[in-house]
PDB file of all heavy atoms in Angstrom:
ATOM      1  N   PRO A 145    -117.683 169.824-171.047  1.00 98.00           N
ATOM      2  CA  PRO A 145    -116.552 168.926-170.754  1.00 98.00           C
ATOM      3  C   PRO A 145    -116.191 169.174-169.280  1.00 98.00           C
ATOM      4  O   PRO A 145    -116.743 170.025-168.616  1.00 98.00           O
ATOM      5  CB  PRO A 145    -115.445 169.429-171.692  1.00 98.00           C
ATOM      6  CG  PRO A 145    -115.694 170.891-171.758  1.00 98.00           C
ATOM      7  CD  PRO A 145    -117.215 171.084-171.631  1.00 98.00           C
ATOM      8  N   SER A 146    -115.255 168.359-168.821  1.00 98.00           N
ATOM      9  CA  SER A 146    -114.692 168.613-167.460  1.00 98.00           C
ATOM     10  C   SER A 146    -114.101 169.975-167.389  1.00 98.00           C
ATOM     11  O   SER A 146    -113.466 170.482-168.342  1.00 98.00           O
ATOM     12  CB  SER A 146    -113.702 167.572-167.103  1.00 98.00           C
ATOM     13  OG  SER A 146    -112.742 167.420-168.137  1.00 98.00           O
ATOM     14  N   ALA A 147    -114.247 170.655-166.172  1.00 98.00           N
ATOM     15  CA  ALA A 147    -113.924 172.043-166.061  1.00 98.00           C
ATOM     16  C   ALA A 147    -112.491 172.218-165.569  1.00 98.00           C
ATOM     17  O   ALA A 147    -112.164 172.966-164.614  1.00 98.00           O
ATOM     18  CB  ALA A 147    -114.864 172.778-165.107  1.00 98.00           C
ATOM     19  N   ASN A 148    -111.533 171.631-166.418  1.00 97.00           N
ATOM     20  CA  ASN A 148    -110.107 171.735-166.110  1.00 97.00           C
ATOM     21  C   ASN A 148    -109.408 172.198-167.357  1.00 97.00           C
ATOM     22  O   ASN A 148    -109.978 172.141-168.459  1.00 97.00           O
ATOM     23  CB  ASN A 148    -109.536 170.319-165.647  1.00 97.00           C
ATOM     24  CG  ASN A 148    -109.919 169.244-166.706  1.00 97.00           C
ATOM     25  OD1 ASN A 148    -111.049 168.833-166.780  1.00 97.00           O
ATOM     26  ND2 ASN A 148    -109.013 168.956-167.633  1.00 97.00           N
ATOM     27  N   LEU A 149    -108.118 172.628-167.195  1.00 97.00           N
ATOM     28  CA  LEU A 149    -107.323 172.908-168.417  1.00 97.00           C
ATOM     29  C   LEU A 149    -107.065 171.503-169.058  1.00 97.00           C
ATOM     30  O   LEU A 149    -106.922 170.482-168.403  1.00 97.00           O
ATOM     31  CB  LEU A 149    -105.988 173.490-168.043  1.00 97.00           C
ATOM     32  CG  LEU A 149    -106.017 174.924-167.586  1.00 97.00           C
ATOM     33  CD1 LEU A 149    -104.649 175.375-167.079  1.00 97.00           C
ATOM     34  CD2 LEU A 149    -106.521 175.888-168.725  1.00 97.00           C
ATOM     35  N   ALA A 150    -107.115 171.452-170.442  1.00 94.00           N
ATOM     36  CA  ALA A 150    -106.963 170.261-171.120  1.00 94.00           C
ATOM     37  C   ALA A 150    -105.703 169.524-170.685  1.00 94.00           C
ATOM     38  O   ALA A 150    -104.686 170.106-170.425  1.00 94.00           O
ATOM     39  CB  ALA A 150    -106.867 170.523-172.645  1.00 94.00           C
ATOM     40  N   GLY A 151    -105.807 168.196-170.420  1.00 90.00           N
ATOM     41  CA  GLY A 151    -104.677 167.382-170.082  1.00 90.00           C
ATOM     42  C   GLY A 151    -104.568 167.250-168.516  1.00 90.00           C
ATOM     43  O   GLY A 151    -103.778 166.332-168.176  1.00 90.00           O
ATOM     44  N   ARG A 152    -105.119 168.098-167.757  1.00 94.00           N
ATOM     45  CA  ARG A 152    -104.983 168.099-166.318  1.00 94.00           C
ATOM     46  C   ARG A 152    -105.937 167.154-165.692  1.00 94.00           C
ATOM     47  O   ARG A 152    -107.018 166.784-166.268  1.00 94.00           O
ATOM     48  CB  ARG A 152    -105.200 169.511-165.753  1.00 94.00           C
ATOM     49  CG  ARG A 152    -104.157 170.529-166.310  1.00 94.00           C
ATOM     50  CD  ARG A 152    -103.013 170.685-165.328  1.00 94.00           C
ATOM     51  NE  ARG A 152    -103.367 171.064-163.990  1.00 94.00           N
ATOM     52  CZ  ARG A 152    -102.836 170.515-162.916  1.00 94.00           C
ATOM     53  NH1 ARG A 152    -102.015 169.607-162.949  1.00 94.00           N
ATOM     54  NH2 ARG A 152    -103.227 170.994-161.738  1.00 94.00           N
ATOM     55  N   PRO A 153    -105.722 166.730-164.403  1.00 95.00           N
ATOM     56  CA  PRO A 153    -106.770 165.918-163.683  1.00 95.00           C
ATOM     57  C   PRO A 153    -108.073 166.678-163.681  1.00 95.00           C
ATOM     58  O   PRO A 153    -108.138 167.841-163.421  1.00 95.00           O
ATOM     59  CB  PRO A 153    -106.169 165.734-162.332  1.00 95.00           C
ATOM     60  CG  PRO A 153    -104.772 166.029-162.461  1.00 95.00           C
ATOM     61  CD  PRO A 153    -104.580 166.990-163.544  1.00 95.00           C
ATOM     62  N   SER A 154    -109.220 165.952-163.839  1.00 97.00           N
ATOM     63  CA  SER A 154    -110.564 166.560-163.763  1.00 97.00           C
ATOM     64  C   SER A 154    -110.790 167.106-162.396  1.00 97.00           C
ATOM     65  O   SER A 154    -110.339 166.626-161.368  1.00 97.00           O
ATOM     66  CB  SER A 154    -111.583 165.531-164.181  1.00 97.00           C
ATOM     67  OG  SER A 154    -111.377 165.082-165.478  1.00 97.00           O
ATOM     68  N   PRO A 155    -111.606 168.242-162.379  1.00 98.00           N
ATOM     69  CA  PRO A 155    -111.909 168.848-161.021  1.00 98.00           C
ATOM     70  C   PRO A 155    -112.995 168.136-160.275  1.00 98.00           C
ATOM     71  O   PRO A 155    -114.032 167.840-160.872  1.00 98.00           O
ATOM     72  CB  PRO A 155    -112.294 170.265-161.455  1.00 98.00           C
ATOM     73  CG  PRO A 155    -112.841 170.092-162.868  1.00 98.00           C
ATOM     74  CD  PRO A 155    -112.195 168.910-163.481  1.00 98.00           C
ATOM     75  N   THR A 156    -112.736 167.937-159.014  1.00 98.00           N
ATOM     76  CA  THR A 156    -113.819 167.286-158.189  1.00 98.00           C
ATOM     77  C   THR A 156    -114.300 168.283-157.102  1.00 98.00           C
ATOM     78  O   THR A 156    -115.141 167.936-156.243  1.00 98.00           O
ATOM     79  CB  THR A 156    -113.331 165.985-157.513  1.00 98.00           C
ATOM     80  OG1 THR A 156    -112.176 166.276-156.737  1.00 98.00           O
ATOM     81  CG2 THR A 156    -112.969 164.961-158.591  1.00 98.00           C
ATOM     82  N   SER A 157    -113.768 169.515-157.155  1.00 98.00           N
ATOM     83  CA  SER A 157    -114.271 170.584-156.253  1.00 98.00           C
ATOM     84  C   SER A 157    -114.190 171.903-157.004  1.00 98.00           C
ATOM     85  O   SER A 157    -113.465 172.010-158.017  1.00 98.00           O
ATOM     86  CB  SER A 157    -113.410 170.637-155.012  1.00 98.00           C
ATOM     87  OG  SER A 157    -112.112 171.224-155.288  1.00 98.00           O
ATOM     88  N   ALA A 158    -114.866 172.946-156.441  1.00 98.00           N
ATOM     89  CA  ALA A 158    -114.856 174.253-157.117  1.00 98.00           C
ATOM     90  C   ALA A 158    -113.412 174.851-157.056  1.00 98.00           C
ATOM     91  O   ALA A 158    -112.994 175.594-157.929  1.00 98.00           O
ATOM     92  CB  ALA A 158    -115.820 175.160-156.432  1.00 98.00           C
ATOM     93  N   LYS A 159    -112.716 174.549-155.962  1.00 98.00           N
ATOM     94  CA  LYS A 159    -111.370 175.025-155.857  1.00 98.00           C
ATOM     95  C   LYS A 159    -110.452 174.536-157.063  1.00 98.00           C
ATOM     96  O   LYS A 159    -109.709 175.333-157.605  1.00 98.00           O
ATOM     97  CB  LYS A 159    -110.725 174.584-154.529  1.00 98.00           C
ATOM     98  CG  LYS A 159    -109.282 175.067-154.324  1.00 98.00           C
ATOM     99  CD  LYS A 159    -108.663 174.477-153.136  1.00 98.00           C
ATOM    100  CE  LYS A 159    -107.168 174.984-153.081  1.00 98.00           C
ATOM    101  NZ  LYS A 159    -106.350 174.367-154.170  1.00 98.00           N
ATOM    102  N   HIS A 160    -110.635 173.214-157.419  1.00 98.00           N
ATOM    103  CA  HIS A 160    -109.877 172.741-158.560  1.00 98.00           C
ATOM    104  C   HIS A 160    -110.216 173.530-159.812  1.00 98.00           C
ATOM    105  O   HIS A 160    -109.327 173.806-160.680  1.00 98.00           O
ATOM    106  CB  HIS A 160    -110.209 171.249-158.855  1.00 98.00           C
ATOM    107  CG  HIS A 160    -109.773 170.348-157.744  1.00 98.00           C
ATOM    108  ND1 HIS A 160    -110.305 169.120-157.575  1.00 98.00           N
ATOM    109  CD2 HIS A 160    -108.901 170.520-156.642  1.00 98.00           C
ATOM    110  CE1 HIS A 160    -109.775 168.494-156.514  1.00 98.00           C
ATOM    111  NE2 HIS A 160    -108.971 169.339-155.927  1.00 98.00           N
ATOM    112  N   VAL A 161    -111.442 173.802-160.016  1.00 98.00           N
ATOM    113  CA  VAL A 161    -111.951 174.650-161.220  1.00 98.00           C
ATOM    114  C   VAL A 161    -111.200 175.980-161.202  1.00 98.00           C
ATOM    115  O   VAL A 161    -110.650 176.464-162.149  1.00 98.00           O
ATOM    116  CB  VAL A 161    -113.462 174.790-161.188  1.00 98.00           C
ATOM    117  CG1 VAL A 161    -113.841 175.664-162.386  1.00 98.00           C
ATOM    118  CG2 VAL A 161    -114.133 173.476-161.215  1.00 98.00           C
ATOM    119  N   LEU A 162    -111.209 176.674-160.020  1.00 98.00           N
ATOM    120  CA  LEU A 162    -110.620 177.996-159.930  1.00 98.00           C
ATOM    121  C   LEU A 162    -109.072 177.917-160.147  1.00 98.00           C
ATOM    122  O   LEU A 162    -108.506 178.780-160.767  1.00 98.00           O
ATOM    123  CB  LEU A 162    -110.941 178.600-158.604  1.00 98.00           C
ATOM    124  CG  LEU A 162    -112.391 179.050-158.456  1.00 98.00           C
ATOM    125  CD1 LEU A 162    -112.729 179.362-157.008  1.00 98.00           C
ATOM    126  CD2 LEU A 162    -112.764 180.232-159.351  1.00 98.00           C
ATOM    127  N   ASP A 163    -108.473 176.846-159.637  1.00 97.00           N
ATOM    128  CA  ASP A 163    -107.000 176.697-159.875  1.00 97.00           C
ATOM    129  C   ASP A 163    -106.691 176.674-161.322  1.00 97.00           C
ATOM    130  O   ASP A 163    -105.676 177.254-161.743  1.00 97.00           O
ATOM    131  CB  ASP A 163    -106.533 175.373-159.221  1.00 97.00           C
ATOM    132  CG  ASP A 163    -106.483 175.388-157.678  1.00 97.00           C
ATOM    133  OD1 ASP A 163    -106.537 176.538-157.115  1.00 97.00           O
ATOM    134  OD2 ASP A 163    -106.405 174.362-157.070  1.00 97.00           O
ATOM    135  N   ASP A 164    -107.562 176.137-162.167  1.00 97.00           N
ATOM    136  CA  ASP A 164    -107.279 176.016-163.564  1.00 97.00           C
ATOM    137  C   ASP A 164    -107.812 177.183-164.353  1.00 97.00           C
ATOM    138  O   ASP A 164    -107.243 177.580-165.379  1.00 97.00           O
ATOM    139  CB  ASP A 164    -107.831 174.664-164.157  1.00 97.00           C
ATOM    140  CG  ASP A 164    -106.967 173.505-163.852  1.00 97.00           C
ATOM    141  OD1 ASP A 164    -106.095 173.566-162.988  1.00 97.00           O
ATOM    142  OD2 ASP A 164    -107.181 172.437-164.555  1.00 97.00           O
ATOM    143  N   LEU A 165    -109.064 177.636-164.011  1.00 98.00           N
ATOM    144  CA  LEU A 165    -109.775 178.498-164.946  1.00 98.00           C
ATOM    145  C   LEU A 165    -110.209 179.861-164.358  1.00 98.00           C
ATOM    146  O   LEU A 165    -110.922 180.616-164.993  1.00 98.00           O
ATOM    147  CB  LEU A 165    -111.081 177.791-165.403  1.00 98.00           C
ATOM    148  CG  LEU A 165    -110.865 176.471-166.119  1.00 98.00           C
ATOM    149  CD1 LEU A 165    -112.192 175.783-166.459  1.00 98.00           C
ATOM    150  CD2 LEU A 165    -110.075 176.646-167.394  1.00 98.00           C
TER     151      LEU A 165
END
Side-chain angles (χ1 to χ4, degrees):
S146 51
N148 51 282
L149 288 173
R152 299 266 302 137
S154 297
T156 59
S157 72
K159 180 186 175 294
H160 297 161
V161 177
L162 289 167
D163 286 345
D164 281 16
L165 300 177

